Amino acid sequence: MGSQEVLGQTTRLASSSAVLQVLFRAVTFALNAFTLRYLSRELIGVVNVRLTLLYSTVVFLAREAFRRACLSGSTKRNWTKTINLLWLTVPLGVFWSVCLGLVWLHLLEVPDPSVVPHYQAGVVAFGLSAIVELLGEPFWVLAQAHLFVRLKVIAESLSVVSKCILTVILVVLYPQWGLYIFSLAQLLYTSVLVLCYVIYFVMFLGSPEATKKTFPVTRMKALLPNLVEDETFVNWKEARLTWSFFKQSFLKQILTEGERYVMTFLNVLNFGDQGVYDIVNNLGSLVARFIFLPIEESFYVFFAKVLERGKNVKDQKKDDVAMAANVLESLLKLVLLTGLTITVFGYAYSQLALDIYGGSMLSSGTGPNLLRCYSLYVLFLAVNGVTECFTFALMCKEEVDRYNFVMLALSFTFLCISYFLTHWHGSVGFILANCFNMGIRIAHSIHYIYDYFKESTHRPLMGLLPSPFLVLIYIISGVITGFSEVFFCCDKGWMARLIHISMGALCFAATIVTMFYTETKLIHFVRSQFLSRYMKKGT
């Protein structure tokens, strides 16, 4: 597969992911807003922080390293050995689920049964759901490696919608069930997710389309663990790379979910405050999940396929280096401007958004300040996602091992800063600590990218420098919307709110128009790669 074809399929994957996630998540957004009216803050805190942390930790530690190792390099490989390696995620998941489940049951504070009933059942169900999801890992990696554009997004979207619908029904009909509701919904989510992949491959393998694409797997039995005659059970090069990534993923999980670990193990916030923090965190990360994550996952595959891991820029094909540099520059500019837009407009519209979404439970107290700080954090998330995406796709095993030591020091520093900032600034301290964490990771990735391209004529880091005139428009928009919030929001009636929204819409329109005139290279990239398939459909 040529570099241009890989780029085309990668951008289709990223754009389809973003569009379909917005459509499906809009439904879940509305369902969650409805559910908030029926639940206590304490129940939300236990489910979304304590139990979800158990599930995400098991899944991340069991599969993240395998994903990164098995998605590196060409699709032309011994897939039997790769699939054998991927099935090791299941016993690893059982191990982590049992060990961490015992910690969650016996070492952590147990919620008051009168406020949050059936905690023990919730721990068991969320641990079991992680193991169920790992059963679909070989299918996921195979689909991602071959750039199946819609499968991943449709599977995840259907599972999320199914989970939300069941949650709403049970919350309305049987609110006294407590954590039973979320346990059943979580098990349904992972079951639907795995079934979508299994059903797709049952239909796809052996079909004319699979034959036309010369797909490396021809029958479902080949997706189960198989012994290779006179050969090793797994590819040891992939296994060693997996071990390197595992050490890194362990540290990355602490950095990614650090605030939840601090909340869970150090009890710096009560369950009610944890619930509010998690709701605000989920609202603030909507764009990260809709746009940044699909871009990061899809273009990690692109960079890993176009450039060879471990080789310096002089040893790569010049055309591939030029394409990778241009794509990286455009991606950096895209996520930077998206993040700046959210930071500028998020400050003035945080309180209004929380009031509409969850009422006074969210819009009073620390909620608005949390979301304002999170708007700044989104900017860090945006840049870090793309810079690490490129860095991890190119690092050799030795570089990955060296980076693990950096992550170890950063993990310890982050946890300490989180603890102290939370004592000084409450839940806002978590977001400030995350900004510090992301800033250090961005600096490391930028240093790697600069060193990688310094012996070439390409300078992709120029994508981090927006037009000065556009920066001026951002500043003016921030000042105007800030004054608008003071005078028109949010306790002066709906007419004043509409005026506030209108002021923001005008400033946003001015910002977008300025982008079109000042960032022409980015606009061309978005039109030619992300929008071309939709424009062709309309003609």
Side-chain angles (χ1 to χ4, degrees), residues 284 287 291-292 332-350 371-372 374-380 382-383 466 470-471 473-475 477-479 481 504-516 519 522:
V287 175
I291 299 176
F292 302 148
L332 286 173
K333 184 63 67 69
L334 175 63
V335 297
L336 175 72
L337 296 185
T338 304
L340 279 173
T341 303
I342 292 167
T343 300
V344 170
F345 291 94
Y347 183 87
Y349 291 88
S350 293
L371 192 54
R372 290 184 183 109
Y374 205 98
S375 299
L376 173 63
Y377 178 50
V378 166
L379 177 59
F380 286 87
V383 177
L470 180 58
V471 172
I473 296 298
Y474 274 125
I475 294 172
S477 296
V479 172
T481 54
L506 290 173
C507 291
F508 180 74
T511 303
I512 296 298
V513 170
T514 306
M515 279 186 202
F516 270 87
E519 303 293 348
L522 172 63

Side-chain angles (χ1 to χ4, degrees), residues 25-294:
R25 295 277 183 171
V27 176
T28 62
F29 184 83
L31 293 175
N32 286 335
F34 174 80
T35 306
L36 282 176
R37 271 68 179 176
Y38 291 84
L39 301 174
S40 66
R41 298 193 309 171
E42 288 74 18
L43 184 61
I44 294 171
V46 171
V47 172
N48 290 357
V49 177
R50 175 74 65 85
L51 295 182
T52 301
L53 181 64
L54 170 63
Y55 158 78
S56 66
T57 302
V58 171
V59 168
F60 193 93
L61 292 179
R63 79 182 180 193
E64 179 69 14
F66 290 86
R67 283 187 171 185
R68 290 200 175 275
C70 295
L71 284 174
S72 299
S74 170
T75 55
K76 295 179 180 179
R77 65 177 77 181
N78 188 331
W79 275 100
T80 300
K81 292 186 177 184
T82 299
I83 290 170
N84 288 343
L85 182 65
L86 287 168
W87 276 110
L88 295 179
T89 60
V90 177
L92 191 59
V94 173
F95 169 78
W96 285 117
S97 185
V98 171
C99 293
L100 294 176
L102 291 174
V103 172
W104 258 244
L105 286 172
H106 300 293
L107 297 183
L108 299 181
E109 177 190 359
V110 177
D112 184 352
S114 62
V115 179
V116 184
H118 315 303
Y119 172 72
Q120 289 75 13
V123 171
V124 173
F126 274 72
L128 180 60
S129 71
I131 298 171
V132 171
E133 183 167 340
L134 291 171
L135 293 172
E137 196 59 21
F139 304 92
W140 186 94
V141 170
L142 199 60
Q144 192 77 352
H146 290 85
L147 300 174
F148 288 2
V149 176
R150 292 188 178 88
L151 173 60
K152 173 179 176 289
V153 182
I154 291 177
E156 291 184 355
S157 300
L158 287 176
S159 55
V160 168
V161 171
S162 302
K163 174 184 176 180
C164 287
I165 291 174
L166 179 63
T167 302
V168 168
I169 292 172
L170 294 180
V171 162
V172 173
L173 297 180
Y174 306 103
Q176 72 277 8
W177 281 14
L179 289 180
Y180 282 154
I181 296 171
F182 297 93
S183 300
L184 292 171
Q186 180 67 17
L187 286 169
L188 177 66
Y189 164 78
T190 54
S191 300
V192 171
L193 183 64
V194 174
L195 279 174
C196 284
Y197 279 96
V198 172
I199 292 171
Y200 179 86
F201 276 100
V202 167
M203 298 171 61
F204 176 74
L205 295 181
S207 68
E209 183 184 359
T211 305
K212 181 181 178 182
K213 291 182 175 180
T214 61
F215 200 70
V217 178
T218 56
R219 52 201 177 102
M220 285 297 292
K221 188 177 179 181
L223 288 171
L224 298 174
N226 289 282
L227 290 174
V228 183
E229 190 174 349
D230 298 328
E231 293 188 41
T232 57
F233 183 69
V234 299
N235 182 326
W236 283 107
K237 182 180 178 181
E238 286 182 348
R240 285 190 292 270
L241 186 59
T242 300
W243 173 241
S244 294
F245 277 125
F246 175 77
K247 291 181 287 185
Q248 183 189 95
S249 67
F250 190 86
L251 300 172
K252 185 178 179 182
Q253 175 66 3
I254 295 176
L255 292 173
T256 303
E257 300 281 9
E259 70 273 13
R260 285 179 169 80
Y261 287 115
V262 173
M263 278 188 267
T264 298
F265 288 94
L266 300 180
N267 297 322
V268 293
L269 298 176
N270 59 44
F271 288 119
D273 289 340
Q274 288 180 28
V276 173
Y277 174 85
D278 187 75
I279 294 169
V280 172
N281 181 65
N282 287 334
L283 274 175
S285 64
L286 282 175
V287 175
R289 293 200 301 267
F290 288 164
I291 299 176
F292 302 148
L293 186 58

Side-chain angles (χ1 to χ4, degrees), residues 329-447:
E329 180 180 352
S330 297
L331 286 178
L332 286 173
K333 184 63 67 69
L334 175 63
V335 297
L336 175 72
L337 296 185
T338 304
L340 279 173
T341 303
I342 292 167
T343 300
V344 170
F345 291 94
Y347 183 87
Y349 291 88
S350 293
Q351 186 176 358
L352 179 60
L354 290 176
D355 194 61
I356 293 173
Y357 184 65
S360 59
M361 181 183 82
L362 297 181
S363 61
S364 59
T366 60
N369 284 334
L370 272 174
L371 192 54
R372 290 184 183 109
C373 289
Y374 205 98
S375 299
L376 173 63
Y377 178 50
V378 166
L379 177 59
F380 286 87
L381 276 175
V383 177
N384 180 71
V386 172
T387 53
E388 279 197 349
C389 156
F390 179 86
T391 302
F392 290 156
L394 272 294
M395 276 183 174
C396 65
K397 178 184 179 298
E398 291 73 20
E399 289 172 325
V400 172
D401 288 337
R402 285 198 299 271
Y403 186 56
N404 289 336
F405 289 103
V406 177
M407 295 283 276
L408 178 62
L410 191 55
S411 300
F412 177 75
T413 305
F414 169 71
L415 292 177
C416 292
I417 290 176
S418 295
Y419 180 76
F420 288 114
L421 286 179
T422 305
H423 276 286
W424 292 335
H425 299 287
S427 50
V428 172
F430 282 124
I431 300 175
L432 296 177
N434 272 316
C435 289
F436 171 82
N437 159 37
M438 285 296 168
I440 299 297
R441 288 165 64 177
I442 290 170
H444 175 272
S445 297
I446 287 177
H447 179 70

